[in-house]
Amino acid sequence: MTGGRLGGVDAEREAQLLFRVIDTISAGLDLGRMLQGVATLVTETTVTDVCFVHLLDEKGRVLRLHGATPPFDGLVGKIELAVGEGVSGWVAEHGEPVVITDDKTADPRYRYIPALRGEEFTSMLSVPIVTPLGHLVGVLNVHTRARREFTGADVELLRSVAGLVAGAIENARLHRRLAEREEALESFAERIVQWQERESRRLAGEIHDGISQRIVSLFFHLSAAADAITADPAVAAEQVARAQELAAAALDETRSAIAGLRPPVLDDLGLAASLESLGHSFPGLDVRIEADDLAMAGHVETAVYRTAQEALQNAAKHAAAESVLIRLSRHAGRAVLEVSDDGTGFDPGAVQHQAGATMPPTGLGLAGMRERAELLGGTLELTSAPGRGTTVRLAVPFTPRRSPGPGPALPGTPGWPARRQR
Ligand SMILES: Nc1ncnc2c1ncn2[C@@H]1O[C@H](COP(=O)(O)OP(=O)(O)OP(=O)(O)O)[C@@H](O)[C@H]1O
Ligand SMILES: [Mg+2]
């Protein structure tokens, strides 16, 4: 160790700097305050004038200023550099430190950013912030007003600081991601409960208003038939015929109430053939299906089927489309459904805006499709523009069906007559 360290920092001060950095990063501060603290420590201990900490964004394309010593602390969050841009961008791209002793502007890597007042500083040292596993998370820079030679040992010291900070940054990010996931799970759980309540209300409504009314009338017609059976067989026969009609209607309504939970056609035909059959139920549309036979868990198949159904209904209702292509395949652990129409298209942004303001949370239409996708941990993308048709793309985690063969029978529906294709 020689006197050539940052401003003559000796081994003891060096160790002290590292200890204080460790103290700062383990103080449980949020990421911003921790980086601010580290930047201040670095300038104080290394006798440099300013320190900047730029962090790489999650996509690894942009460096954003996350920590800076006064008077630049007000710029935190406001300075961005693309990877490859300026000295910091170069350091991020190459993963190597850069020392510039003077005349920065002559260095082709240097980019002047007025807010950072580069003209007031002469020498600089920039090091990559890299985790022990070699994962780049940002760039740490120090600048001095007076001209200064940064030695190899100076570079190493700053790299050690950067290494300590890197682990802390990664931990903070992991922690934030975990907290976000926890929040998302909570809101999923809440929405599942709301969804279930809505479904129960819908079923109760359908049973109360439709099915039980029919059964009451059925009862009266059968009583009338029983009363008339000896005195007036013709009236009795008529009442029985009415009762038969009512029984058929009640059966139909029961089926459609249950179809709201899981379309029976899925159990009868499987998903790919159900999509075919769905396509045929829109006589005005030329529907082409390219569906792989994916044997998935019942709830995933229901979501895919319902999404295709709503997208087709929208194509028929709103798009004045002539043809629709439905594709279902498996990609990278996801089941992907695409429904593309050649209709008028629309501006999804405008609809979403309206929808948020006016649509009740009934789970219908686009909002319902999105909700289903989110409940399954998937995504729903809408690509549409006026005059250019619409594509609805649902991607959900592929969940295989547990046992081979058709999906499980619906509870309470054993021995029901097989549903016919309509
Ligand atoms: N394929 C499409 N082509 C053109 N416009 C569409 C298409 N899909 C949706 N839209 C537009 O988006 C709006 C919202 O669609 P959404 O499915 O949410 O509701 P809806 O179809 O009007 O009613 P619901 O689905 O509840 O019966 C539609 O009213 C329509 O203007
Ligand atoms: Mg709709």
Side-chain angles (χ1 to χ4, degrees):
M1 309 242 178
T2 65
R5 298 290 161 101
L6 296 175
V9 177
D10 56 19
E12 198 183 318
R13 292 192 70 188
E14 217 169 77
Q16 228 185 43
L17 167 62
L18 294 178
F19 282 137
R20 289 176 67 192
V21 168
I22 291 171
D23 269 353
T24 306
I25 62 184
S26 39
L29 302 170
D30 64 56
L31 187 58
R33 283 173 58 202
M34 176 188 88
L35 294 179
Q36 209 64 36
V38 169
T40 307
L41 260 180
V42 167
T43 47
E44 273 174 12
T45 325
T46 61
V47 201
T48 47
D49 295 307
V50 282
C51 174
F52 296 107
V53 187
H54 302 272
L55 294 193
L56 202 58
D57 72 339
E58 309 258 331
K59 290 189 178 142
R61 294 201 198 118
V62 177
L63 288 169
R64 197 165 287 126
L65 187 66
H66 262 261
T69 45
F72 298 103
D73 45 340
L75 295 176
V76 164
K78 295 181 189 152
I79 304 282
E80 282 185 8
L81 281 167
V83 167
E85 189 186 1
V87 173
S88 302
W90 189 95
V91 170
E93 190 171 34
H94 294 83
E96 286 168 28
V98 166
V99 173
I100 301 180
T101 308
D102 51 27
D103 199 10
K104 291 192 286 264
T105 49
D107 192 310
R109 295 169 295 197
Y110 180 71
R111 206 199 111 200
Y112 178 67
I113 299 174
L116 298 182
R117 310 206 307 246
E119 67 278 11
E120 295 177 18
F121 301 91
T122 311
S123 308
M124 73 175 288
L125 164 56
S126 178
V127 299
I129 306 178
V130 183
T131 64
L133 293 175
H135 185 205
L136 179 89
V137 291
V139 174
L140 182 80
N141 296 342
V142 288
H143 296 257
T144 56
R145 288 202 164 78
R147 186 181 185 285
R148 158 91 154 274
E149 305 275 350
F150 288 109
T151 64
D154 295 333
V155 174
E156 281 320 304
L157 175 60
L158 212 59
R159 285 184 98 151
S160 307
V161 171
L164 289 173
V165 174
I169 292 167
E170 243 191 4
N171 282 345
R173 284 185 164 168
L174 268 174
H175 193 268
R176 200 185 55 207
R177 241 176 273 153
L178 272 178
E180 281 170 1
R181 276 189 66 174
E182 205 168 299
E183 245 171 59
L185 272 177
E186 264 170 34
S187 95
F188 273 169
E190 205 179 299
R191 276 191 294 169
I192 286 173
V193 171
Q194 283 171 356
W195 180 284
Q196 281 173 335
E197 276 177 6
R198 224 155 43 219
E199 278 297 297
S200 311
R201 273 202 303 275
R202 181 188 64 78
L203 257 184
E206 284 179 36
I207 291 169
H208 176 267
D209 304 337
I211 302 159
S212 61
Q213 304 300 328
R214 305 243 183 233
I215 293 173
V216 170
S217 314
L218 180 65
F219 178 81
F220 284 122
H221 285 290
L222 286 174
S223 303
D227 291 346
I229 204 153
T230 44
D232 194 342
V235 169
E238 198 193 310
Q239 292 296 334
V240 169
R242 286 286 300 130
Q244 274 177 322
E245 278 167 26
L246 282 167
L251 187 58
D252 257 3
E253 282 186 25
T254 311
R255 276 184 181 138
S256 79
I258 286 173
L261 297 174
R262 174 169 166 85
V265 67
L266 281 177
D267 293 323
D268 298 343
L269 305 175
L271 180 57
S274 296
L275 291 176
E276 287 277 354
S277 149
L278 181 67
H280 294 148
S281 61
F282 290 82
L285 276 180
D286 173 20
V287 184
R288 201 150 56 89
I289 318 276
E290 292 172 10
D292 292 345
D293 215 347
L294 309 179
M296 293 187 288
H299 65 288
V300 182
E301 292 198 341
T302 302
V304 169
Y305 182 86
R306 291 288 179 218
T307 304
Q309 191 175 35
E310 174 58 25
L312 262 176
Q313 255 159 27
N314 279 350
K317 254 200 313 194
H318 308 297
E322 284 177 10
S323 61
V324 175
L325 173 63
I326 299 184
R327 281 204 288 218
L328 174 68
S329 57
R330 191 178 166 177
H331 276 298
R334 310 211 124 200
V336 179
L337 171 82
E338 275 181 342
V339 183
S340 314
D341 70 51
D342 64 352
T344 51
F346 68 112
D347 174 1
V351 168
Q352 269 160 27
H353 189 68
Q354 269 177 12
T358 59
M359 257 194 49
T362 51
L364 295 176
L366 299 177
M369 291 200 251
R370 196 156 273 132
E371 196 161 337
R372 274 182 200 279
E374 282 174 15
L375 279 173
L376 293 183
T379 54
L380 187 101
E381 283 167 28
L382 267 178
T383 318
S384 187
R388 284 201 276 137
T390 300
T391 296
V392 173
R393 184 176 193 275
L394 170 78
V396 288
F398 178 86
T399 317
R401 191 179 298 156
R402 283 253 174 85
S403 58
L410 279 169
T413 62
W416 269 37
R419 189 181 168 84
R420 302 267 167 272
Q421 269 180 248
R422 295 216 173 131

